[in-house]
Amino acid sequence: FKQKTAYEIYQCDWSSDVCSSDLTEGREGGELMQLDDIISNFDYLEEWEDRYRYLIELGRTLEILPEDAYTEENKVRGCASQVWLETKRVVDADGKLILRFRGDSDAHIVRGLVALVLALYSDHTPADILATDAMPLFEKLGLAAHLTPQRANGLRAMVDRIKSQAQVAPGS
């Protein structure tokens, strides 16, 4: 097994806005990366420029929201960029209520942050969502130290929005 350099992982043609990444290769839009995979990939990338590119790639894996999801109700307040989070209540195979989130943003890096937050919280019970603290994850990935204050506030606003949805869900 030959370990790849960050350059080999990211072969980007920024002039055409086309990037391919081995870390998200084979993912269809809408297929969320597993949180453990995201953490492992972050650990693998040493340079913050590469980690930012990876966040952009994560954002590209998000399912495209239908036009009717871009509503004021779904808009997240407190983000400098525009962010929308859609919440669906679903009953899983065990009969438990879970919350499924989809999201989007008009900014590439923020779309990646949306993908990260969705990997952490989507398809969990309201109780699990309320019990999950995102800050240790953000600190482990180095996001707390490397995001601008506006992006960090936006990230907190996304988490607060998801937790407020869990708070009002039946049985929480």
Side-chain angles (χ1 to χ4, degrees), residues 28-45:
E28 296 295 325
E31 183 183 348
L32 288 177
M33 296 260 317
Q34 295 297 309
L35 188 59
D36 290 341
D37 293 336
I38 294 170
I39 292 168
S40 175
N41 291 338
F42 254 85
D43 288 344
Y44 181 72
L45 299 169

Side-chain angles (χ1 to χ4, degrees), residues 70-121:
Y70 294 93
T71 63
E72 285 301 311
E73 180 182 327
N74 287 341
K75 199 167 190 181
V76 178
R77 305 284 175 243
C79 295
S81 302
Q82 294 190 78
V83 176
W84 295 269
L85 287 176
E86 180 185 58
T87 307
K88 293 203 184 256
R89 294 181 172 122
V90 180
V91 177
D92 71 5
D94 297 327
K96 292 186 289 185
L97 174 70
I98 61 168
L99 298 182
R100 181 165 294 150
F101 300 99
R102 295 191 303 178
D104 195 11
S105 174
D106 62 348
H108 294 297
I109 289 178
V110 177
R111 282 193 89 207
L113 295 173
V114 170
L116 176 64
V117 169
L118 296 186
L120 179 61
Y121 288 113

Side-chain angles (χ1 to χ4, degrees), residues 19-20 23-26 34 36 67-68 79 84 93 96-97 110 115 117 122 130 137 140 142 146 155 159 161 169:
C19 287
S20 63
L23 300 179
T24 57
E25 187 176 316
Q34 295 297 309
D36 290 341
E67 193 172 320
D68 63 354
C79 295
W84 295 269
K96 292 186 289 185
L97 174 70
V110 177
V117 169
S122 193
L130 292 171
L137 172 66
K140 177 178 177 45
H146 288 90
L155 194 55
V159 170
R161 168 70 177 275

